[in-house]
Amino acid sequence: APVRIEGVGSDSIQGDIRFVEAAQAMGAALASGPGWLEVKRGRFPLTAITLDCNHIPDAAMTLAVMALYAEGTTRLTNIASWRVKETDRIAAMAAELRQLGASVEEGADFIAVTPPAALRPAAIRTYDDHRIAMCFSLAAFRGVPVRILDPKCVAKTFPDYFEALFGLV
């Protein structure tokens, strides 16, 4: 069933709306209108992409986890700003993706993620970073146990995130 998101849509002036284009390129099925988006599962497995993420650095973290669902290697570039956020997000994302079994290449301003044939169960460190906790919660949809250590760090921006996530399934 599709998930409808109110308050952001095709008329958004936020740069993160470009995430929608990236998700569509990977195979997600999206519809949108003024003030709303509707997302549902499309192509599976997803398709790996190469993307300059200069305009969506924070949203690109979700793409790195979506790469676990793709065939091939997803390469996200122009993300040097990840190194100077709440934590070094390139290093943190690489470490935790590897915990799940992914092959990861990282550089000063990029990350390349190749998913494993099967994910490994993992306990994901959050580095006290709300975005890492939220992004990696999506790995559980691939059918393996994923434990988010320190889930309360999401309180910085979305205190009810896990309740909202569990409400979708």
Side-chain angles (χ1 to χ4, degrees):
V3 174
R4 189 172 176 101
I5 303 159
E6 299 287 338
V8 64
S10 58
D11 57 342
S12 177
I13 60 170
Q14 295 293 322
D16 283 349
I17 195 68
R18 289 186 148 162
F19 172 82
V20 170
E21 297 165 8
Q24 285 176 309
M26 291 184 85
L30 290 116
S32 66
W36 64 271
L37 293 172
E38 195 170 87
V39 183
K40 65 181 179 178
R41 182 175 170 172
R43 201 168 49 242
F44 192 83
L46 295 174
T47 301
I49 60 172
T50 296
L51 184 68
D52 180 330
C53 298
N54 184 52
H55 297 300
I56 58 166
D58 291 337
M61 294 176 68
T62 302
L63 297 173
V65 174
M66 287 173 63
L68 296 171
Y69 294 86
E71 281 186 325
T73 300
T74 295
R75 186 177 181 89
L76 307 174
T77 65
N78 211 352
I79 56 169
S81 65
W82 283 19
R83 296 265 188 214
V84 293
K85 296 289 187 170
E86 284 82 345
T87 190
D88 178 340
R89 287 178 171 168
I90 292 178
M93 293 294 289
E96 301 313 308
L97 287 162
R98 288 182 185 119
Q99 290 284 340
L100 290 159
S103 296
V104 182
E105 182 185 356
E106 61 180 290
D109 70 345
F110 76 92
I111 192 167
V113 181
T114 305
L119 289 184
R120 294 190 302 242
I124 303 297
R125 292 175 293 154
T126 65
Y127 307 82
D128 198 28
D129 187 327
H130 57 123
R131 290 190 186 276
I132 290 175
M134 290 186 280
C135 290
F136 276 99
S137 69
L138 303 177
F141 288 115
R142 181 113 184 250
V144 299
V146 175
R147 182 175 179 204
I148 305 297
L149 303 174
D150 187 26
K152 292 181 181 178
C153 70
V154 301
K156 178 177 180 179
T157 54
F158 196 163
D160 298 326
Y161 171 76
F162 288 102
E163 290 79 3
L165 178 67
F166 298 145
L168 297 175
V169 293

